[in-house]
Amino acid sequence: MTTETTPRERRTALRGLPGEPLLEVAGLEVATAAGVKLLHGMELAVPAGARVGIVGESGSGKSMTAAAVLGLLPDGVRATAGSVRLRDRELSGLPERELRAIRGREISIVYQNAVTSLNPLMPVGEQIARVCRTHTGVSKEAARERTVELLDRLGIADARSRANDYPHHFSGGMAQRVAIAMALICDPALLIADEPTTGLDATIQAQVLDVIDGSVREREAALLLISHDLGVIRAMCDHVAVVYAGELLEFGATEEVLGNPLSPYTAGLVRCLEPADGEIAYIPGRIPAPGTPRRGCVFAPRCEQATDSCRTRQPELSELRPHHWASCHHQ
Amino acid sequence: MRSSSFWLVYLGRRVAAALLALFGVALLVFVVTRLLGDPVNLILGARATPEQIAALRRELGYDKPIVEQFLTYIGNLLQGDLGVSRYTQLPVTEELANRLPATLELALAGLFLGLLWTVPLGVIAATRPGGWVDRVSQAIVEFGVAIPSFFCGLLLVLLFTYLLGITPPPVGRLDIGTAAPARVTGLLTVDSLLAGDLRAFGSSLKYLALPAITLALTSCPPILQLTRNTMIGALRSNYVRGARSFGLPERTVRWYALKNSLVPVFTMTAMTFGFLIGGTVLVETVFSWPGIGLYAVQSMQRFDYEPVLGVVLLASAIYILVYLIADLVSMAIDPRVREGAS
Ligand SMILES: Nc1ncnc2c1ncn2[C@@H]1O[C@H](COP(=O)(O)OP(=O)(O)OP(=O)(O)O)[C@@H](O)[C@H]1O
Ligand code: SF4
Ligand SMILES: [Mg+2]
């Protein structure tokens, strides 16, 4: 036994949020086999029953964070440091068997483009019931009843017979409901939704988000919603995490963060995602490719307020206002 | 599930298409064999008198117009008559019935052994592309594809018969002193088991081993490649990621992936079997295996065209049948194929 504190036992800087802590990600580093880092000390906190959004440009590591939480990193990608805690349990380094018991049971995920994330050769009801039986050991009939009931509650008309249909029989929005049913069948404490409505019609998007919102509230489950749509984040999430190039740059209550951003990156993101009338805004430059050497603030090359200290010293994530964290030298 | 009338219509359509295809094959082979040259001169040689030639032409029906010859042939065909081999003086149907089981036994054994090594290796290779199983199986695949089947057969005979003395010399299907079991299926391994004759079974197995291994090695590598590649794709697919993220056991996840790879693998297997039926010629020649391939080659050398036509038609019919079975299996596995069939 060593008494040395490993980085895995580090706690997140985002402490003191109201509510029981449910998910805490601290100092999470993820790298490819070649040693290229994709996440650089990611931080995240989701209190029980809370609804947290993640925003950030494409490639900033939103999906990678979700994958790391589930312990389902792509082939060749590994978590090299940091901690993922679910309640009092450290998940990083858990054997696959124990992680499997958590996936779909305590933490579930819905992906973009649900039709393809279902097995094309199996009726959807059977797939949902199988998840149920894998985790709870209820009888076949009971699992089936539960499935039909849930499909019905999620707004699938004629659920009993639709359960016998195959994934390709469902439209995008309906398939997404099926995927949500699969995610919720075991009443998880946390639902992760990774751009769940990208690619759907606007009206269908609203319906699907409504289904997610309603069913999460009803179960008092927590929601971690990844989205490019700040309007959706404002409407659905009480907290928001702003990530950039594999780091968390800002975290806090949604209105606070998006209304009074501390990080110039957040301000830029809000301006370009919700431009004022007649304005076309963008953040000059682009997100650094993975493997680009880092010195100082990762956003400095694109930041209008960058100074010499920004370029040499990395800012630390700190609670600059009550329950509002950011990593920036100039606040 | 579709109603039984759907299946009747579907099967009816497939059978009609198959008959049409067979007619096309018959026409093609008929024309080609006739274009190869008038066999009469070849049979009788340069010293034949014109009277002899004319007599033989009349006897073979070659004096009639070619369209009439073809129509006669098709007419006989419809009555199950494939003509008579001029060399053996036996009806072609009888010869085929005698020889087809040998080819079937060889092709089935080759395919069985082929599936036995290719599918599991492909699946294991796919779970670790670039791993040692993958590299070893790629090496075997390259060997099997690069080496001609007859040469592979000769190598095996050299190794196992002449150097190690494990297998009998490559002549036929059974030891000379061993009586053939009562004919039920015509497959000696099966018939000897049915008769409870273990001696005959062992003997037939020994003779079957090398030609079957030859086929398994040289004809089945594409099945391995396809299994490996579709399996790799399936394991990277969204539904596999989905199944994993719901905590389904890895066994179930792999089964999802495998089941999704089965349709292309099954189609490839059917193609391989068709190829084996028509393509065992070289292997049958090396091992003096009394199948339809050897029969076709020998008849060809004797300018005895009726048997050649018969073999080609039979092989095509089997090929079409196997393809139909493969399609039915695909429909059973994949609802999208099923719905696409209507
Ligand atoms: N399998 C992989 N191997 C190596 N690098 C990867 C892999 N998958 C993603 N990446 C890289 O990891 C980084 C983070 O990707 P991620 O998918 O998490 O982005 P994202 O924030 O979800 O973006 P988007 O909004 O486009 O979904 C990107 O630079 C991406 O190129
Ligand atoms: S630390 Fe400096 S460069 Fe980084 S965001 Fe703040 S002001 Fe910009
Ligand atoms: Mg993503």
Side-chain angles (χ1 to χ4, degrees):
Chain A
M1 281 297 285
T2 61
T3 50
E4 205 183 337
T5 344
T6 64
R8 297 220 174 251
E9 285 165 28
R10 220 183 101 184
R11 295 295 298 271
T12 175
L14 309 170
R15 258 166 306 168
L17 283 172
E20 287 280 297
L22 176 67
L23 177 75
E24 288 184 337
V25 174
L28 184 62
E29 311 228 319
V30 156
T32 65
V36 176
K37 274 194 203 172
L38 302 175
L39 295 183
H40 298 250
M42 182 60 78
E43 304 274 324
L44 197 63
V46 182
R51 290 186 304 284
V52 177
I54 306 184
V55 296
E57 283 168 292
S58 192
S60 51
K62 304 182 294 292
S63 300
M64 202 57 80
T65 304
V69 165
L70 287 162
L72 278 178
L73 290 166
D75 278 347
V77 177
R78 281 183 323 121
T80 48
S83 136
V84 175
R85 289 173 79 87
L86 183 70
R87 295 198 192 88
D88 291 331
R89 221 163 149 204
E90 178 60 54
L91 300 192
S92 58
L94 267 196
E96 180 61 21
R97 197 172 47 80
E98 291 179 41
L99 282 173
R100 226 183 280 133
I102 290 170
R103 294 181 203 133
R105 173 81 190 81
E106 302 197 64
I107 307 177
S108 271
I109 185 163
V110 209
Y111 298 100
Q112 180 184 338
N113 201 352
V115 186
T116 65
S117 66
L118 301 167
N119 182 356
L121 303 186
M122 210 193 247
V124 297
E126 212 175 296
Q127 296 188 49
I128 301 171
R130 175 165 287 193
V131 174
C132 178
R133 297 192 62 204
T134 299
H135 292 296
T136 58
V138 298
S139 74
K140 236 184 168 126
E141 293 70 33
R144 175 137 190 103
E145 275 314 302
R146 247 196 237 184
T147 299
V148 171
E149 221 170 275
L150 183 56
L151 284 175
D152 183 59
R153 285 190 72 87
L154 295 185
I156 293 195
D158 201 8
R160 192 166 298 275
S161 82
R162 289 293 266 160
N164 295 323
D165 283 345
Y166 291 89
H168 70 276
H169 292 135
F170 290 82
S171 64
M174 286 298 148
Q176 201 55 274
R177 287 169 206 249
V178 170
I180 295 168
M182 187 124 93
L184 293 180
I185 191 78
C186 294
D187 283 329
L190 173 64
L191 175 68
I192 303 176
D194 190 349
E195 302 190 37
T197 59
T198 307
L200 300 178
D201 290 348
T203 47
I204 309 287
Q205 283 196 15
Q207 288 171 12
V208 169
L209 290 171
D210 206 41
V211 167
I212 292 179
D213 192 54
S215 43
V216 165
R217 273 175 207 279
E218 195 177 284
R219 289 173 172 72
E220 294 175 357
L223 174 68
L224 185 59
L225 176 66
I226 298 171
S227 176
H228 286 280
D229 188 333
L230 294 188
V232 168
I233 298 280
R234 280 185 209 275
M236 296 198 32
C237 300
D238 39 51
H239 288 77
V240 65
V242 181
V243 299
Y244 180 74
E247 288 180 28
L248 178 72
L249 292 192
E250 186 158 2
F251 185 91
T254 309
E255 279 317 312
E256 262 290 298
V257 170
L258 300 182
N260 296 307
L262 289 168
S263 163
Y265 176 61
T266 311
L269 204 60
V270 172
R271 222 178 310 125
C272 65
L273 291 178
E274 295 180 330
D277 281 344
E279 184 193 17
I280 297 177
Y282 61 93
I283 307 173
R286 47 160 56 181
I287 196 164
T292 311
R294 296 187 175 203
R295 187 144 177 264
C297 172
V298 62
F299 187 56
R302 303 170 68 185
C303 182
E304 288 173 355
Q305 303 173 33
T307 59
D308 282 348
S309 66
C310 299
R311 283 182 273 269
T312 49
R313 250 180 343 110
Q314 189 182 359
E316 234 177 87
L317 185 68
S318 29
E319 191 169 4
L320 299 174
R321 294 182 197 146
H323 297 163
H324 187 167
W325 290 258
S327 91
C328 179
H329 285 309
H330 296 291
Q331 288 299 333
Chain B
M1 271 291 110
R2 302 308 186 83
S3 65
S4 54
S5 72
F6 164 81
W7 290 107
L8 274 181
V9 172
Y10 176 78
L11 282 176
R13 252 192 15 224
R14 291 296 302 256
V15 169
L19 290 177
L20 204 66
L22 283 178
F23 180 81
V25 170
L27 180 64
L28 194 68
V29 179
F30 186 84
V31 168
V32 169
T33 48
R34 289 306 190 268
L35 285 181
L36 281 179
D38 191 334
V40 173
N41 296 322
L42 296 167
I43 296 162
L44 294 176
R47 271 175 293 165
T49 63
E51 291 75 40
Q52 282 177 306
I53 291 178
L56 186 58
R57 290 181 71 88
R58 211 169 317 115
E59 188 195 326
L60 294 177
Y62 279 34
D63 54 337
K64 308 238 173 62
I66 191 149
V67 176
E68 194 183 328
Q69 290 180 38
F70 181 68
L71 288 179
T72 314
Y73 182 79
I74 292 290
N76 291 341
L77 194 64
L78 287 177
Q79 294 161 35
D81 180 3
L82 287 167
V84 174
S85 159
R86 218 194 48 251
Y87 181 81
T88 60
Q89 292 299 324
L90 287 172
V92 171
T93 40
E94 193 175 306
E95 291 263 26
L96 287 180
N98 281 334
R99 289 161 165 272
L100 179 63
T103 295
L104 274 184
E105 180 161 48
L106 179 53
L108 284 172
L111 191 68
F112 175 73
L113 289 181
L115 289 176
L116 215 58
W117 78 273
T118 55
V119 173
L121 271 186
V123 170
I124 297 171
T127 58
R128 255 165 207 269
W132 70 269
V133 175
D134 193 21
R135 277 179 303 185
V136 168
S137 61
Q138 286 309 305
I140 307 178
V141 162
E142 268 161 41
F143 173 81
V145 170
I147 192 170
S149 61
F150 74 89
F151 190 65
C152 179
L154 288 176
L155 273 185
L156 289 177
V157 169
L158 183 69
L159 182 63
F160 288 100
T161 306
Y162 295 111
L163 290 181
L164 298 175
I166 305 174
T167 51
V171 277
R173 304 169 74 191
L174 219 50
D175 287 320
I176 297 176
T178 309
R183 177 170 168 148
V184 184
T185 61
L187 312 183
L188 291 184
T189 44
V190 177
D191 287 353
S192 57
L193 278 186
L194 288 178
D197 184 349
L198 287 185
R199 211 184 92 137
F201 178 68
S203 174
S204 61
L205 218 50
K206 271 193 308 191
Y207 278 86
L208 184 58
L210 291 192
I213 291 174
T214 304
L215 290 179
L217 272 180
T218 55
S219 305
C220 298
I223 301 180
L224 191 150
Q225 290 301 72
L226 193 77
T227 308
R228 172 188 181 272
N229 295 344
T230 45
M231 198 59 190
I232 286 177
L235 286 171
R236 289 192 185 141
S237 70
N238 283 351
Y239 58 82
V240 159
R241 182 186 61 170
R244 289 212 173 105
S245 55
F246 289 114
L248 295 185
E250 195 56 24
R251 199 165 14 93
T252 312
V253 174
R254 296 259 164 92
W255 170 240
Y256 280 13
L258 184 59
K259 203 172 166 198
N260 274 278
S261 312
L262 278 184
V263 167
V265 169
F266 211 87
T267 309
M268 177 61 91
T269 304
M271 278 170 64
T272 307
F273 187 71
F275 172 78
L276 287 181
I277 291 291
T280 50
V281 178
L282 289 174
V283 177
E284 288 188 2
T285 309
V286 169
F287 290 91
S288 308
W289 193 262
I292 57 172
L294 191 58
Y295 178 53
V297 169
Q298 289 168 344
S299 305
M300 200 75 182
Q301 286 163 346
R302 299 168 190 139
F303 310 108
D304 191 1
Y305 290 149
E306 251 66 25
V308 178
L309 261 168
V311 167
V312 173
L313 277 178
L314 179 64
S316 310
I318 292 176
Y319 195 84
I320 289 170
L321 183 71
V322 168
Y323 231 84
L324 176 62
I325 294 174
D327 280 354
L328 290 175
V329 172
S330 303
M331 289 166 79
I333 296 175
D334 193 328
R336 292 161 299 181
V337 180
R338 205 147 62 222
E339 286 156 22
S342 47

